[in-house]
Amino acid sequence: MTTGIRIGLTVRALTEADLPSCGWSGDAMHVRQLADQLRRMADGEIDYLAVCTPADLPVALGGIDYTVRPGAGTLWQLGVHPALRSCGIGTFLVRSAEHRIATRGLTRAELGVEDDNPRARALYERLGYRAYGREPDSWDVVAADGSIRRHETMCTLLRKEL
Ligand SMILES: CC(C)(COP(=O)(O)OP(=O)(O)OC[C@H]1O[C@@H](n2cnc3c(N)ncnc32)[C@H](O)[C@@H]1OP(=O)(O)O)[C@@H](O)C(=O)NCCC(=O)NCCS
């Protein structure tokens, strides 16, 4: 038996009270680093959006960094709760981020997508993003044994005029 249920989602800035409900978005280090993102948001360097259910719990998160490229908002750490992917929430998150960038008076959105993530890339291209370059990227991840290792990757850079 299947059913379709409509739920209203809202988008707002991430808050400290959300952090205990963000475990789905990454490993323990990622969640700890969300606290740093809250500080950067308070300083005006970034926005960090949370898409929330009627219970006001976050089911999608995404950052916009205004310090990466002059004149642009750079989307990063976009993620939708695994149980709710392919329902249009990622689209809502990206469109909300674009709206936020435009509200800042900027006219360009950018992002990088890993080469092994063709589904995410297809979504961005469907939303009007076009590839313009490539760039290596790296970040720390917590391995299964608790050790920290560096994840090295190659990303395609995409951008969209708003
Ligand atoms: C990439 C990601 C953010 C996209 O979010 P999402 O909520 O799944 O995206 P959407 O639902 O808006 O669109 C994606 C798919 O849903 C489909 N879709 C959109 N609206 C839909 C709807 N109302 N009903 C059914 N399907 C829908 C789209 O056609 C698309 O299809 P696909 O399966 O061919 O990709 C999400 O999959 C995710 O968190 N992935 C893991 C982390 C990640 O890769 N982040 C991106 C780093 S760059």
Side-chain angles (χ1 to χ4, degrees):
M1 192 169 75
T2 60
T3 187
I5 298 173
R6 292 178 68 87
I7 57 168
L9 297 175
T10 54
V11 63
R12 58 166 174 74
L14 182 73
T15 69
E16 195 162 354
D18 293 323
L19 300 189
S21 305
C22 292
W24 55 265
S25 68
D27 60 31
M29 189 164 52
H30 170 80
V31 176
R32 275 199 304 278
Q33 286 170 350
L34 288 176
D36 299 330
Q37 309 307 353
L38 291 175
R39 281 187 282 277
R40 293 187 67 208
M41 183 155 54
D43 290 342
E45 288 181 10
I46 67 164
D47 280 310
Y48 212 99
L49 303 180
V51 175
C52 299
T53 63
D56 203 31
L57 293 172
V59 290
L61 297 173
I64 312 162
D65 196 325
Y66 300 102
T67 68
V68 180
R69 288 187 175 79
T74 300
L75 280 56
W76 101 114
Q77 295 189 348
L78 300 176
V80 172
H81 191 295
L84 291 169
R85 288 177 191 162
S86 294
C87 297
I89 298 174
T91 299
F92 178 57
L93 177 63
V94 172
R95 291 205 188 287
S96 301
E98 292 169 353
H99 180 72
R100 188 74 201 105
I101 292 167
T103 302
R104 285 226 179 189
L106 301 174
T107 56
R108 200 169 75 254
E110 301 213 4
L111 54 83
V113 63
E114 287 185 85
D115 286 351
D116 64 356
N117 201 348
R119 188 176 158 257
R121 179 171 174 169
L123 169 63
Y124 304 139
E125 289 180 335
R126 206 158 43 236
L127 292 174
Y129 288 77
R130 294 295 169 254
Y132 73 92
R134 288 167 59 72
E135 188 177 78
D137 199 359
S138 63
W139 56 85
D140 289 337
V141 292
V142 183
D145 64 1
S147 63
I148 295 174
R149 68 169 179 83
R150 196 76 180 162
H151 174 71
E152 309 269 354
T153 190
M154 184 59 87
C155 290
T156 296
L157 304 175
L158 299 105
R159 66 182 165 210
K160 175 181 176 179
E161 296 300 324
L162 302 176

